[in-house]
Amino acid sequence: MRKLLNYTVRFIGAALCISLVFGFASPTLTNAQSSIGLGSSEDNGIRLTINDYSIINHGQDIQLHYTINTNSNIQVSSNTKSLIENPYIWIGNTLVREESESFKKVSKNEYRGTIIAQMHHYRTDNSKMSFHTHGILNQKGQWTVDFMLKSSQY
């Protein structure tokens, strides 16, 4: 009986250690994945990351939250209206129009912003979204970020 008790205690101890290891590792893996955002693209030392999105105005618009990181300190004048030049935003095979953009400088090499685009009552679940531009921070290049719109966001 005493041997059975020792084996039980060892088994429970091993199971507890394993669950603690996975318990501490899981939040780290989740945070690492979420810091990547929905997708990113880099060209000419400028990285564009689409962090997340939300559907606003009763499903009329989509709000895209982005981050721009650069290898160098690129100055933007105070009267600049947009960091991203003529973005092409596709939901499935439908081109949607940008309505507005707002942004702020977070650090020497990082900007964060939001783009609002019309959705035209587009409601297909799990649709592919594609964000493309030829210019960021007055620099020419090619940036494309593709990701899936989840139906739970609607």
Side-chain angles (χ1 to χ4, degrees):
M1 187 66 147
R2 182 171 273 181
K3 285 187 177 188
L4 180 61
L5 184 60
N6 281 341
Y7 289 128
T8 304
V9 169
R10 287 181 185 166
F11 177 75
I12 291 172
L16 183 61
C17 287
I18 290 170
S19 65
L20 284 174
V21 166
F22 282 111
F24 287 123
S26 293
T28 305
L29 292 174
T30 303
N31 288 339
Q33 290 170 347
S34 65
S35 68
I36 296 170
L38 298 172
S40 64
S41 178
E42 186 169 353
D43 195 5
N44 296 326
I46 300 172
R47 175 173 290 280
L48 169 66
T49 302
I50 304 295
N51 301 318
D52 61 8
Y53 67 92
S54 52
I55 307 301
I56 59 172
N57 296 334
H58 306 288
Q60 298 292 317
D61 299 323
I62 185 167
Q63 189 174 44
L64 301 168
H65 306 281
Y66 68 84
T67 302
I68 296 172
N69 296 92
T70 66
N71 291 337
S72 59
N73 184 11
I74 298 175
Q75 294 296 321
V76 175
S77 70
S78 60
N79 59 356
T80 298
K81 301 285 186 222
S82 178
L83 299 178
I84 300 174
E85 180 182 316
N86 298 325
Y88 294 92
I89 304 167
W90 294 87
I91 300 175
N93 294 323
T94 304
L95 181 64
V96 296
R97 196 181 87 210
E98 173 196 8
E99 289 182 345
S100 65
E101 179 182 358
S102 61
F103 61 89
K104 67 179 179 177
K105 188 170 188 168
V106 177
S107 69
K108 184 171 101 172
N109 299 341
E110 184 176 324
Y111 291 88
R112 290 198 183 157
T114 301
I115 291 178
I116 296 176
Q118 292 178 346
M119 290 196 49
H120 300 292
H121 305 290
Y122 196 80
R123 295 286 185 277
T124 302
D125 291 345
N126 299 321
S127 299
K128 180 180 177 187
M129 177 160 229
S130 184
F131 185 95
H132 180 76
T133 186
H134 297 286
I136 296 178
L137 298 171
N138 296 321
Q139 306 292 312
K140 297 296 179 198
Q142 298 288 325
W143 293 269
T144 301
V145 179
D146 296 323
F147 58 94
M148 296 298 288
L149 292 177
K150 302 294 181 191
S151 59
S152 63
Q153 293 284 339
Y154 290 113

